[in-house]
Amino acid sequence: MPDVIVDYDTLRHTFSIVHHDEVVSDNSWAYIHEKDGSELVNTSSEKGEDVIVNEGQKWSDFSDAYRCESPGLLEGYGAYGYVLDKSWSTDRRSLLDRGWVIAFADVRYISKVVTLVLIVHGSGLNKSNSIADFVSCAEYLISKGYVHKSRLGAFGGSAGGLLVGAAANRNPELFRAIILKNPFPDVCNTLLDPGLPTAIKSDREEFGNPKIRSHFLSIFSYSPYDNIPTGICCPAMLVTDSRVGVWESAKWVAKVRENACSDCSKAVILETNMKCGHLGEPGRLTEFEKYAYQYAFMMKAMGLMNTPYAI
């Protein structure tokens, strides 16, 4: 949700909004539980003016707003100690206005600033735990009714592309569509090449050193490129890449198309941009065009292009 400053009563568990950022939208809803029930209250006035909610309103868990029919997008990264940014982002509003659920999976990974559990159980020989965590998050969204079982998509960029690609290999039936941005699918071969910039100390701390037999077997067991299932229906895929290791995405797409069934292979798309680096082209309008393209792909893959509001 947009940034909000509230006055919160810790004894009564109630709050009042002091200030919140304005979001211009025809379908802006704030879901709030009232004292005597769980009704959904629209806090936008008919004149478009902001309405300050009363102190009797309580924090909502949003569960009443989604009734097992919503499409959803699950984002993950899980590497190098990076925690996903969950703050308000205007580019996601087009999905939220259509009733999408957007979820973030902070899976186990290596980090020197968090608990020892994350350090020991989410990297190196235990990197596979990160993938299992992401799959568990996807299953949770479906089992709890937040997302329709046939309408869950996933997004991962860079090392997050490895995470999502590996999860889709293990449980292709969980995801209707996935987006991999500048992914790292051929991790085993890349780490074996000392001439590549990715074969550095931080990468080997995160994934392991494939020149060590035990590490090689561990990496090979989850490497997305080396574990693509054969003859099954895979999710629709949009793989976008720049000039940084673009061959990995090209190899991944070619092998997925070869291994998947004939119908699914037609929905595996590779988009390359040789004019930019790993983070993409600069400029706000370019960013909007990129997200519009990705979200349009996701909606089309789920058959929702002609459905303005999914709920």
Side-chain angles (χ1 to χ4, degrees), residues 207-281:
F207 304 105
N209 184 353
K211 292 184 179 180
I212 302 173
R213 177 176 173 77
S214 60
H215 290 200
F216 174 86
L217 294 175
S218 173
I219 296 169
F220 192 80
S221 70
Y222 64 77
S223 171
Y225 178 75
D226 297 302
N227 291 277
I228 300 173
T230 303
I232 54 92
C233 289
C234 68
M237 297 184 190
L238 172 61
V239 185
T240 67
D241 214 327
S242 59
R243 63 187 181 206
V244 182
V246 68
W247 58 86
E248 289 198 44
S249 295
K251 289 171 62 177
W252 162 265
V253 167
K255 192 171 182 179
V256 170
R257 288 174 177 172
E258 180 182 358
N259 286 15
C261 69
S262 57
D263 290 336
C264 293
S265 64
K266 299 175 183 177
V268 180
I269 301 171
L270 173 64
E271 180 197 27
T272 59
N273 186 343
M274 306 306 290
K275 298 180 181 179
C276 62
H278 194 58
L279 298 179
E281 289 188 71

Side-chain angles (χ1 to χ4, degrees), residues 4-9 12-18 20 30-37 39-44 50-60:
V4 178
I5 299 175
V6 302
D7 184 5
Y8 185 69
D9 187 326
R12 294 187 296 164
H13 302 289
T14 60
F15 71 96
S16 59
I17 295 178
V18 178
H20 67 84
Y31 298 108
I32 302 169
H33 282 293
E34 292 188 333
K35 278 184 177 179
D36 56 351
E39 294 183 1
L40 302 181
V41 180
N42 183 359
T43 60
S44 297
D50 294 333
V51 177
I52 304 301
V53 297
N54 63 63
E55 295 185 357
Q57 296 171 327
K58 297 186 177 182
W59 296 114
S60 168

Side-chain angles (χ1 to χ4, degrees), residues 12-144:
R12 294 187 296 164
H13 302 289
T14 60
F15 71 96
S16 59
I17 295 178
V18 178
H19 171 79
H20 67 84
D21 290 346
E22 181 182 1
V23 177
V24 180
S25 175
D26 294 332
N27 194 36
S28 294
W29 287 81
Y31 298 108
I32 302 169
H33 282 293
E34 292 188 333
K35 278 184 177 179
D36 56 351
S38 301
E39 294 183 1
L40 302 181
V41 180
N42 183 359
T43 60
S44 297
S45 68
E46 294 182 359
K47 296 181 180 180
E49 300 173 349
D50 294 333
V51 177
I52 304 301
V53 297
N54 63 63
E55 295 185 357
Q57 296 171 327
K58 297 186 177 182
W59 296 114
S60 168
D61 64 3
F62 291 88
S63 58
D64 292 329
Y66 304 99
R67 308 182 190 282
C68 305
E69 298 297 325
S70 300
L73 180 62
L74 177 63
E75 181 176 345
Y77 186 77
Y80 310 112
Y82 177 78
V83 178
L84 292 170
D85 182 7
K86 306 168 192 68
S87 60
W88 172 256
S89 179
T90 55
D91 63 74
R92 301 188 184 108
R93 202 193 71 197
S94 63
L95 292 183
L96 295 172
D97 280 351
R98 289 172 170 83
W100 284 61
V101 173
I102 298 178
F104 304 89
D106 277 324
V107 299
R108 282 174 281 182
Y109 53 86
I110 185 170
S111 175
K112 293 182 175 63
V113 296
V114 293
T115 65
L116 184 63
V117 173
L118 295 183
I119 297 174
V120 174
H121 296 290
S123 63
L125 295 175
N126 296 310
K127 184 62 182 176
S128 185
N129 287 337
S130 297
I131 302 161
D133 289 350
F134 191 82
V135 170
S136 295
C137 290
E139 293 173 337
Y140 178 86
L141 290 173
I142 294 173
S143 65
K144 294 298 182 180

